[in-house]
Amino acid sequence: VAEQSTKAVIDPERVAANFKAWMAQQQAAGKGFTEEQRWWLEKMAEHIASNLGLEAEDFGYAPFDQRGGLGKVHQLFGAKLPKVIDELNRELVA
């Protein structure tokens, strides 16, 4: 009997739909994002779709490192960054 892979698979389309819904919730709550923040959020969502999650260390790799990595994302989101990462990890794979 072949063993089934225990690695979960995430449907990228579902992640994209969840991301869209999350962005709409943020806007409805009055939290707007700059164009640059949107780029980062979109790349975070893509990373979550591919890797089942996002951690601070991931900002040291492409495509994040090409835009300034953890330092830059911290500059853009400040103290809210951990909350944003937690929300995206939770909401996008739901």
Side-chain angles (χ1 to χ4, degrees):
V1 177
E3 282 189 38
Q4 289 185 340
S5 172
T6 56
K7 185 175 179 184
V9 176
I10 296 179
D11 177 8
E13 288 178 19
R14 193 171 89 206
V15 171
N18 289 347
F19 177 66
K20 242 180 152 166
W22 183 82
M23 288 293 282
Q25 282 177 340
Q26 300 303 303
Q27 288 186 312
K31 299 175 191 164
F33 296 107
T34 66
E35 202 170 308
E36 192 171 16
Q37 286 174 320
R38 282 179 178 281
W39 180 89
W40 283 86
L41 291 167
E42 288 169 9
K43 296 305 174 201
M44 288 182 214
E46 289 171 14
H47 185 87
I48 290 168
S50 305
N51 300 282
L52 307 178
L54 176 72
E55 297 177 20
E57 301 85 64
D58 296 327
F59 292 111
Y61 305 103
F64 308 113
D65 62 338
Q66 298 158 358
R67 290 271 190 115
L70 185 58
K72 183 62 176 181
V73 77
H74 242 294
Q75 189 182 350
L76 290 170
F77 293 94
K80 294 181 182 133
L81 182 62
K83 183 176 188 266
V84 168
I85 292 172
D86 286 346
E87 280 186 26
L88 289 175
N89 278 328
R90 187 178 61 247
E91 299 293 325
L92 301 192
V93 297

